[in-house]
Amino acid sequence: MKSRNFFIPIISLVIFSIIAISTFNAYLNITTFSKHIDNDIKTLQKTYLEKHKKEVQEKVDNIFRDIEFQISKVEEFAKDRLKERLSTSMKIINFIYNQKKGKISDEQIVSLIAKHFSVLTYGNDGYFFMYNNKTNIMKFHIRKDFIGKDVYHFVDKKGQRVIALYAKKLKKEKVAYAKIYFPKPSDPTKEYPKLVIVTKFEPLNLTIGTGIYLDDIEKKVQKLILEKYNDVKMKQNSYTFFMKLHNINGGKHFATMILNPNRPDLINKKLDDDVQDASGKYYRKEYLAILQTCQSGFLKYWYKKPYMNEQKPKMSYFRLQKEWNWIIASGFYYDDLEKEIAHMKQNLTDYSTNIMQKTLIWIIILSFFVIAISIFVTSKINDTILKYTHKIENLNQKLKDKRKQVENNMKIISEHVVISKTDLHGKIIEVSDAFCKLSGYSREELIGKPHNIVRHPDMPKSAFKDMWATIKKDKTWKGEVKNLKKDGGYYWFIADISPMYDEKDKKIGYMAIRTDITAKKDYEEEHKKLIQAERLASMGELIGNIAHQWRQPLSAISTAASAIVVEKEYGILTDKKLIEFLNSIEKHTQYLSNTIENFKNFTKNEKIEKLFFISEQIDSFLKLVNPSIEEHDIKLILHIDKTLELFGYENDLTQCYINIFHNIEDVFEDRNIKEKLIFISVYKEKNNIIISFKDNAGGIEKDILPKVFEPYFTTKHQSQGTGLGLHIAYNIIVNELNGKIEVANETFVYKDKTYTGARFDMIFEVE
């Protein structure tokens, strides 16, 4: 009976599901195909534009390269002609020089060469010239006003200092070519492009040259280019046109149309820039602005389409050929895109209709197949449902047992984990037993109160401002917090504070999980006091050094002052003597000032990272410890690269030097070393700057060596040291300056004598 009761609902559900899925599938297919059509149309628009933009750009660039190639061929042809002419002229010069050398003066030989050049011409505008290399005096030129003058300062219309250009090129090559602008003999009012060849004739200190005007050749090439591209059959709805640019700033008659296969009526017509298209755009001004900035670019505008009387939207690519001042352009029209889109829509619609028909047939076939399988499966499902009903009841019982276990675990967590929960405004809504135990408050005293009930006055308000800013952004805040106990005591903890959410994912408050770190913070505070005491001890030694350094200059100042008083009383004080005494006092006063300035710079408690020269910093350090160096008769051997710089806390690094120096100094005294040597080296190795202190005190015992940087480790009596000096140096190098410090024993030879000592390397990675 139970099986038949389940059978009918399941079969009904299957049939309903098939109908619903089929209907939904049909709707989904129609919607999907519609979206595909829209996406394909957008893709077509993008592809069409990219494809046609690429085509017109390639067309213009190919023409541009063709022109550049033709220009290079013109210059190659001109160079060959010039080389032949120069070769002929040099043969004449060598012949004249060899014939007349020693018989007449050099100046007469130059005049004789000039006479030959005066009749050696090529056409109307081909001629030779020569000038003195050293004086830049023109010895022969077709322009009589140049002869006998210093032509070094002659500048062509492109701003080129022509003689300087020749000299520069002849430094690299015996025969050099240069492109300049110079008037023609037949038209002295205008400068034309000219290719010049020059060489030196060293025996007479002459530079010889000749040239070819390129404009006549270029005009022939330009004509060939125009004929070539006027005959090219353009693609439908695309065209290329050339303009001769007169003024890139625009204005009236700024250019002349020189090629336009689709608009022969515009050939040789002057163009103005104040023409508007159908959208009101001054499109000629815009493409001129593009060419001024980039020398090439695309522009969309409206223009009359060939064989039509109306303007259509069009995209054109413009490029400026500066050598000839030509604008080369090509474009395409947007209305062709609309035709392609319409054709594509029809194809996609036909395709989607066909797919939908086939899909419907398959759905009907699959529906019959699924119903047959469902009848068989339903009977199996009916049996399975009854089988698992009993298992579900067993699982429910197990869940109840698990819930009790979870409740017990939560009680344990409450006793041992410091947890508190607040609402969105910071009022406490739940606390763990551990929180109550640590704070000294009962749960009743805390619930409903703002969390600042346990805030310690030592905590800055900015810390809590940052905390609230973080958790309000639904992020987790983590930090160290000092809290106030009910009895006035304190405790430290690390807190993780995160937002809480309900089952609808709505934020309802905040939860804080804390770890007690009071013991750690108390230890750090004591450690900090000991470190400060160590630094004060270093400063005490430095003050002693300063007192020692001041004795001699103070004595000198006192002596000079007394001498002034005595000689003044006896009337024997001269102005010269007075100036000498005062200069001596000034000199020693300056020494005292520098000494105290070095000490003041070191004792500044400022934490400013800056770039400093290591050599200058070591020099300041040595001035601080110099009295100790002199008192203990320590010899310094310095090997310092003065170019190396380091970015960091300069005074902190000086403190490291002082701690290492005092450590070495103590070892010298403990071991009664007679010849005391300290080697200080600064050098770069690969990407590391290394600052090394090395002594000859015999080295460090092997069992002690790994422990020297540990806090409170010392081999001396407790009254003689804290064991923090090298530990402080280690912390500064590693934690504040992001470097490394290493220590090792080293045996070395100095002045043919072998020594053993400890070597401290401070290593800083640089770029």
Side-chain angles (χ1 to χ4, degrees), residues 37-50:
I37 291 172
D38 292 339
N39 289 335
D40 288 342
I41 288 171
K42 289 177 182 178
T43 303
L44 174 64
Q45 289 173 326
K46 183 178 178 182
T47 304
Y48 180 91
L49 290 176
E50 289 177 353

Side-chain angles (χ1 to χ4, degrees), residues 36 94 179 245 261 334 365 374 465 469 481 495 520 551 555 587 594 606 638 653 742:
H36 282 172
N94 277 298
K179 190 171 182 181
L245 182 63
Y334 280 78
I365 294 171
S374 298
K465 186 176 180 181
V481 179
K520 172 178 173 290
R551 288 172 189 164
S555 176
K587 174 185 173 183
N594 290 339
E606 57 183 15
L638 305 178
L653 187 55
E742 298 174 353

Side-chain angles (χ1 to χ4, degrees), residues 585-765:
I585 292 172
E586 169 63 23
K587 174 185 173 183
H588 288 94
T589 303
Q590 187 62 40
Y591 175 80
L592 297 177
S593 176
N594 290 339
T595 303
I596 201 66
E597 186 65 25
N598 286 335
F599 179 74
K600 186 177 74 172
N601 288 338
F602 169 69
T603 57
K604 282 181 181 176
N605 196 23
E606 57 183 15
K607 298 289 284 184
I608 299 174
E609 287 188 290
K610 64 180 181 179
L611 188 66
F612 58 89
F613 281 99
I614 302 173
S615 60
E616 294 177 1
Q617 184 229 9
I618 287 180
D619 186 56
S620 298
F621 150 70
L622 292 177
K623 288 177 182 176
L624 290 171
V625 298
N626 187 59
S628 290
I629 293 171
E630 292 178 353
E631 181 183 349
H632 295 93
D633 194 22
I634 297 171
K635 182 179 179 181
L636 294 177
I637 299 92
L638 305 178
H639 298 285
I640 297 173
D641 185 341
K642 294 186 177 182
T643 65
L644 295 179
E645 296 178 283
L646 195 63
F647 185 80
Y649 302 108
E650 183 177 4
N651 282 352
D652 286 359
L653 187 55
T654 301
Q655 179 69 55
C656 296
Y657 300 160
I658 291 172
N659 291 3
I660 293 171
F661 173 80
H662 286 327
N663 190 78
I664 295 171
E665 187 180 45
D666 291 343
V667 175
F668 280 151
E669 292 302 309
D670 291 346
R671 297 182 181 178
N672 197 24
I673 304 296
K674 301 300 182 183
E675 183 187 12
K676 304 178 182 70
L677 303 177
I678 295 179
F679 299 80
I680 301 177
S681 303
V682 179
Y683 57 96
K684 188 173 183 181
E685 188 176 272
K686 295 183 179 178
N687 290 332
N688 292 320
I689 289 177
I690 300 174
I691 304 171
S692 175
F693 279 60
K694 181 172 69 177
D695 61 55
N696 66 327
I700 304 170
E701 290 84 347
K702 288 184 179 179
D703 58 331
I704 293 175
L705 195 62
K707 304 176 183 178
V708 295
F709 296 122
E710 293 179 4
Y712 312 114
F713 179 80
T714 179
T715 59
K716 295 177 282 188
H717 190 270
Q718 191 172 4
S719 63
Q720 294 179 300
T722 63
L724 286 173
L726 292 180
H727 174 65
I728 291 171
Y730 178 87
N731 271 343
I732 290 172
I733 297 295
V734 175
N735 298 325
E736 295 187 23
L737 299 175
N738 298 318
K740 294 188 295 184
I741 182 167
E742 298 174 353
V743 62
N745 292 326
E746 182 178 326
T747 300
F748 58 94
V749 176
Y750 176 68
K751 290 189 175 180
D752 300 326
K753 187 174 179 181
T754 302
Y755 299 93
T756 298
R759 173 178 175 139
F760 291 85
D761 286 339
M762 291 160 274
I763 305 165
F764 303 95
E765 186 176 353

Side-chain angles (χ1 to χ4, degrees), residues 418-420 431-439 446 451 454 514:
V418 183
I419 300 173
S420 66
V431 290
S432 66
D433 294 338
F435 186 98
C436 295
K437 183 179 179 181
L438 189 61
S439 67
L446 292 171
H451 217 291
V454 292
R514 299 168 174 82

Side-chain angles (χ1 to χ4, degrees), residues 165-199:
L165 179 63
Y166 297 160
K168 181 180 178 182
K169 289 181 175 290
L170 286 172
K171 282 183 180 179
K172 300 178 182 177
E173 299 172 331
K174 289 184 178 181
V175 177
Y177 296 92
K179 190 171 182 181
I180 67 168
Y181 289 82
F182 202 82
K184 291 182 180 180
S186 59
D187 184 8
T189 61
K190 181 181 176 183
E191 291 186 6
Y192 293 88
K194 183 178 183 181
L195 185 65
V196 177
I197 186 171
V198 288
T199 191

